[in-house]
């Protein structure tokens, strides 16, 4: 479906960069632990004269505190990286209409929206670029496809030019039913799912 393709597309760059980001985070964590071990050995040597057991306890305490510090830093780092990835994905989303496969995606979003509305006459709001692309021939193709999917005739008309990145907003004739399948709306509806997938990629 159109939604799945959008989610897959906006995760593409995050997937490519995930390994590098994960390596950077692991390097930072390793450095913290290495520094802690060096400090622990230093402190251990300083108090050896007080007894081997006490020195070992101090060493273990320092390392345990360092591990806790690493966990806290990694959690913070994790959230920062997820937010950074989401910001990048939003930027990629704006560029999506420039991609070669976008026109096919747009048609799928329109068809998905019409099916969701389920009315015999619908209006499609588009941005200026897409409004000009969707001509009478394409409208006829959409109506033909809807006849096959819904087993009934559906009149599809172009509505208003609206300020959206891409995709469409499908409305019933009286405006009582609306399916917002704009790219930004689809992104926001799937945001939690996207965050989970980014987290799986990064950690």
């Amino acid at each position: 479906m159109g939604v799945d393709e959008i989610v897959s597309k906006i995760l593409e760059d995050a997937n490519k960069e995930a390994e590098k980001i994960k390596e950077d985070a692991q390097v930072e964590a390793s450095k913290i632990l290495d520094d802690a071990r060096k400090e622990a050995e230093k402190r251990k040597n300083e108090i050896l004269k007080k007894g081997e057991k006490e020195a070992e306890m101090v060493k273990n305490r320092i390392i345990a505190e360092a591990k806790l510090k690493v966990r806290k830093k990694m959690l913070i780092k994790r959230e920062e990286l997820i937010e950074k990835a989401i910001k990048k994905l939003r930027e990629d989303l704006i560029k999506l209409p420039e991609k070669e496969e976008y026109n096919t995606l747009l048609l799928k979003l329109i068809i998905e929206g019409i099916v969701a509305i389920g009315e015999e006459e619908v209006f499609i709001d588009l941005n200026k670029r897409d409004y000009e692309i969707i001509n009478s021939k394409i409208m006829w193709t959409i109506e033909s496809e809807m006849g096959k999917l819904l087993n009934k005739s559906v009149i599809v008309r172009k509505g208003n030019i609206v300020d959206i990145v891409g995709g469409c907003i499908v409305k019933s004739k009286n405006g009582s039913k609306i399916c917002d399948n704009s790219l930004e709306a689809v992104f926001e509806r799937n945001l939690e799912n996207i965050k989970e997938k980014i987290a799986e990629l990064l950690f």
Side-chain angles (χ1 to χ4, degrees), residues 80-92:
E80 288 176 352
L81 291 174
I82 289 175
E83 289 305 314
K84 182 179 178 181
I86 290 294
K87 182 180 178 181
K88 178 67 166 55
L89 294 177
R90 290 186 191 279
E91 293 170 357
D92 291 346

Side-chain angles (χ1 to χ4, degrees), residues 40-56 58:
E41 285 296 333
K42 179 182 176 183
R43 293 282 300 278
K44 176 181 175 181
N45 292 330
E46 288 175 353
I47 61 174
L48 271 176
K49 57 186 177 182
K50 296 182 180 179
E52 187 71 29
K53 184 176 181 180
E54 183 180 351
E56 192 65 28
V58 171

